[in-house]
Amino acid sequence: MNEYIILSLVLYALGMYCLATKRNMIRLLLGIEILINAANINFISFSRAIPGFIDPLAYSIVTVSIGLAASVTAVGVIILVYAHRHYGTLDVRVLKRLRG
Amino acid sequence: MFSLPIDTLLIFAITTPALGWLLERVKRANLCGIYAAIGLAIVTWEILYMKVPLNSGLMFIDQLGVFMALAFSILGLMACIYSIKYMERDEAIPLFYSLLLLMIAGMIGCVFAGDMFSFFVFWEMMCIASYTLVAFRREKWEPVEAAFKYLIMSSAGSASILFGMSLVYGMCGTLIFNDLYKILSNVSNVWIYVAAVFIFIGLGIKSAIFPLHTWLPDAHSAAPSSISAMLSGVVVETGIYAICRIGFTVFYGIYNQWMEIIAILSIFTMLVGNLTPLLQTDIKRLLAYSSIAHIGYMLAGVSTGTILGLTAALLHIFNHAIMKGSAFLCSGMILYRLETREMKEMAGIGRKMPITAAIFSLSLFSLIGMPPLNGFISKLLLVMATIEANMAWLGAAIIINSAISAAYYLRTIKALLQPISSKKVEEAREGPIIMLAPLLILACLIVIFGIWPDGLIEFAKSAANVLLRG
């Protein structure tokens, strides 16, 4: 089980790295997907904590959370499309008009 | 299924677009605002007459939940009535009300949830609705940019909460709040600290605690004014509620550690929230920054950890919802008439819009903490609580910050009363009556809860007792 926790922590770190360094707006949305998937992997790996028993709670949680992640990304993509219409680019550095 | 108020809200949220489709045929789409307002009035009435505690599987409703839900539904009702006129020039009005009702349903679901995962589902429902509402006027660049920034930061926070929850699940095998309290109240190992860091970072982003507050001024000033009132008055406070609920159940074993960190962060949050608006000339940005300051006051109350401190913090949540809601709706009224948010351009508007200016000044005085108004009562209780908990330095910080905050609130009032300089202001007139009605109700509530706060304090005390299991 430890391997899975390490994997999910690495995924979480990767997602945060993606959010901190990437400039493309689509990549930022993918970074959020990576963060949520890190948590999902954790849930699935913990569901086998007791030998010989798989907890259905974790599976239902993960199913719902995948749906939620999809809806967040959908809203993100809609906003991204409008941002592209206003700015003509997907570079997030251009979105800096709001200041102070 | 999810208790009566949430079910009612969901039914109204689904039927509003259907009704709006019919009303759009006869060019009366803004009438579905009345339908949504009726729904919210029913929900407020249902919450007022709710029997607690109520345990129905997914939901566990107690005094605390009802206290918070009442604040949400009252401000939601006022914002909804206000929007009928305010949003009439926009497109897709039925969807606006549908999203507003969904956002309120999500918030009420958050405070009624009995386990961490249903809390998370409702939390995401609130978040998704609020991203869309911030970007509602998509034909302008400002809301789109603000909404994208808000979406990225806030959903990274939600993912952190989910990650922390998965660690809590790994430790306990359950996510029900009451069971988690029993299992974790004596545990203090490394993993619970790790889970606490993830969950508090996530909640801190949503409740705009320093240094995670950067999205707030953009999103709150770019949204339509009635949504700014909702975001600033209640959505951010849902984060404070979550810090209280999760902190006092799941992380009760490491109580002293997180309390100290919250106390220190609260001072920074207050300072940032009060020093930045001194330079602002945009009225909605100024109010948005001042809500960061008020988040700091609430956190100071939470970090005392006593019954008086939590009562004061909860009371301040309720009062802040009314005061800041009223202030944002007034600034929206000026925006509706003048179409500007710059303070210079609205000089002298108080002479042309006397009722709006009077209510605006009243809510700003209340935000400063002037004695006969409700802001004074909760700030007094906050200072008393910090002294009682031997944290007088925190109380001193609250008083100093209130004094600093007076500077920019009074500057705003001065801008309202200056001699008229522009032609636009000369031609302005008082706002429509349907927009004034919610403002008048909120102004009455500010005065009533300032003069007779006893009933509300008792209610907040019973809610705080739930948290401390007194």
Side-chain angles (χ1 to χ4, degrees):
Chain A
M1 197 155 71
N2 284 331
E3 303 85 69
Y4 287 112
I5 299 177
I6 291 165
L7 171 71
S8 66
L9 280 172
V10 169
L11 263 184
Y12 186 89
L14 272 178
M16 276 294 168
Y17 173 76
C18 175
L19 285 183
T21 58
K22 294 297 171 204
R23 297 294 173 213
N24 190 315
M25 289 160 85
I26 295 177
R27 285 180 197 232
L28 291 180
L29 289 177
L30 288 177
I32 284 162
E33 284 289 309
I34 294 173
L35 286 180
I36 293 174
N37 282 342
N40 289 346
I41 286 175
N42 245 351
F43 271 112
I44 295 294
S45 66
F46 286 133
S47 74
R48 309 188 313 155
I50 305 162
F53 170 72
I54 292 175
D55 192 357
L57 175 69
Y59 282 80
S60 49
I61 286 176
V62 168
T63 317
V64 177
S65 103
I66 289 170
L68 287 173
S71 21
V72 170
T73 316
V75 172
V77 170
I78 295 167
I79 296 174
L80 186 151
V81 168
Y82 280 106
H84 188 260
R85 281 187 196 164
H86 283 291
Y87 295 86
T89 173
L90 287 178
D91 193 334
V92 83
R93 278 171 296 186
V94 183
L95 273 75
K96 274 184 181 164
R97 285 202 234 163
L98 285 174
R99 282 276 164 192
Chain B
M1 192 171 93
F2 304 121
S3 81
L4 199 56
I6 301 172
D7 287 346
T8 319
L9 278 171
L10 292 178
I11 289 169
F12 273 87
I14 294 164
T15 49
T16 306
L19 185 76
W21 183 76
L22 290 174
L23 286 171
E24 267 173 0
R25 294 292 165 96
V26 288
K27 309 268 184 235
R28 285 276 182 280
N30 58 340
L31 286 185
C32 59
I34 297 171
Y35 180 70
I38 292 168
L40 278 166
I42 294 171
V43 168
T44 314
W45 181 78
E46 278 169 1
I47 290 169
L48 269 176
Y49 291 95
M50 203 159 206
K51 295 215 171 10
V52 285
L54 189 78
N55 195 351
S56 70
L58 280 173
M59 299 294 168
F60 185 78
I61 302 163
D62 48 25
Q63 287 284 345
L64 177 61
V66 172
F67 182 82
M68 296 294 294
L70 196 63
F72 299 159
S73 59
I74 289 178
L75 189 60
L77 178 60
M78 296 306 146
C80 188
I81 297 172
Y82 182 87
S83 306
I84 295 172
K85 193 77 186 165
Y86 186 74
M87 298 300 290
E88 70 175 355
R89 300 174 204 164
D90 288 73
E91 294 168 31
I93 302 167
L95 293 180
F96 173 83
Y97 293 107
S98 188
L99 284 167
L100 180 66
L101 291 174
L102 274 179
M103 187 167 84
I104 297 167
M107 282 188 288
I108 294 181
C110 276
V111 297
F112 282 180
D115 67 296
M116 268 175 112
F117 192 67
S118 29
F119 166 79
F120 181 76
V121 172
F122 283 112
W123 177 270
E124 283 288 271
M125 189 164 131
M126 168 188 95
C127 287
I128 292 170
S130 60
Y131 307 147
T132 328
L133 283 170
V134 169
F136 195 76
R137 286 179 171 162
R138 59 199 185 283
E139 63 281 354
K140 293 180 190 154
W141 62 270
E142 191 189 353
V144 172
E145 180 177 327
F148 192 76
K149 198 174 177 185
Y150 178 31
L151 184 136
I152 293 293
M153 285 194 74
S154 179
S155 43
S158 301
S160 293
I161 297 173
L162 193 68
F163 197 89
M165 264 168 55
S166 72
L167 294 175
V168 171
Y169 169 76
M171 276 185 282
C172 307
T174 177
L175 285 174
I176 298 168
F177 281 131
N178 287 340
D179 296 353
L180 285 174
Y181 172 69
K182 281 173 205 146
I183 297 169
L184 288 174
S185 54
N186 297 315
V187 179
S188 78
N189 59 11
V190 169
W191 285 107
I192 195 158
Y193 285 105
V194 177
V197 167
F198 279 115
I199 288 184
F200 281 128
I201 286 177
L203 297 176
I205 289 179
K206 191 71 199 181
S207 51
I209 299 171
F210 176 84
L212 306 167
H213 66 277
T214 49
W215 62 270
L216 188 141
D218 298 344
H220 288 201
S221 55
S225 292
S226 46
I227 298 306
S228 309
M230 288 297 290
L231 285 175
S232 195
V234 287
V235 174
V236 177
E237 276 70 8
T238 317
I240 302 280
Y241 160 83
I243 287 175
C244 293
R245 175 72 88 183
I246 293 178
F248 283 97
T249 51
V250 183
F251 301 120
Y252 200 71
I254 54 165
Y255 173 84
N256 287 326
Q257 287 84 343
W258 68 260
M259 285 294 183
E260 277 169 22
I261 296 170
I262 291 265
I264 292 161
L265 284 180
S266 77
I267 291 183
F268 283 109
T269 314
M270 278 181 228
L271 274 175
V272 168
N274 279 326
L275 292 177
T276 347
L278 289 172
L279 302 168
Q280 285 298 329
T281 54
D282 180 332
I283 197 156
K284 279 178 83 177
R285 267 185 109 75
L286 184 146
L287 289 174
Y289 272 113
S290 99
S291 27
I292 300 179
H294 282 265
I295 292 294
Y297 304 146
M298 289 164 209
L299 283 178
V302 172
S303 66
T304 58
T306 57
I307 192 92
L308 186 62
L310 284 168
T311 309
L314 291 171
L315 191 70
H316 199 63
I317 290 179
F318 194 95
N319 287 340
H320 179 249
I322 296 172
M323 306 184 285
K324 193 51 72 65
S326 162
F328 260 118
L329 294 184
C330 288
S331 72
M333 186 83 103
I334 296 171
L335 186 62
Y336 181 80
R337 281 291 185 226
L338 291 185
E339 289 172 357
T340 177
R341 298 191 332 220
E342 283 300 312
M343 237 187 261
K344 277 191 200 103
E345 291 173 34
M346 60 177 71
I349 191 68
R351 292 158 194 261
K352 291 289 168 187
M353 299 169 76
I355 303 173
T356 312
I359 297 170
F360 200 7
S361 314
L362 187 78
S363 44
L364 290 180
F365 280 131
S366 184
L367 284 166
I368 299 171
M370 288 275 180
L373 304 170
N374 64 356
F376 169 72
I377 306 289
S378 44
K379 271 190 189 167
L380 180 71
L381 280 181
L382 281 171
V383 175
M384 274 161 64
T386 51
I387 292 168
E388 189 200 63
N390 290 327
M391 294 164 101
W393 48 278
L394 204 55
I398 295 177
I399 293 171
I400 292 168
N401 274 291
S402 296
I404 299 172
S405 74
Y408 59 85
Y409 290 130
L410 292 176
R411 189 165 61 98
T412 316
I413 295 172
K414 183 181 154 232
L416 295 176
L417 298 178
Q418 271 168 351
I420 299 171
S421 58
S422 77
K423 197 163 175 286
K424 229 172 164 185
V425 178
E426 197 71 59
E427 287 162 2
R429 58 203 160 82
E430 189 56 78
I433 188 78
I434 193 160
M435 283 164 81
L436 279 176
L439 289 178
L440 285 170
I441 295 170
L442 287 173
C444 289
L445 287 179
I446 288 176
V447 176
I448 289 170
F449 289 137
I451 298 174
W452 296 288
D454 302 336
L456 197 65
I457 292 175
E458 281 304 310
F459 196 6
K461 204 172 201 168
S462 61
N465 264 320
V466 171
L467 276 178
L468 292 175
R469 294 174 175 71

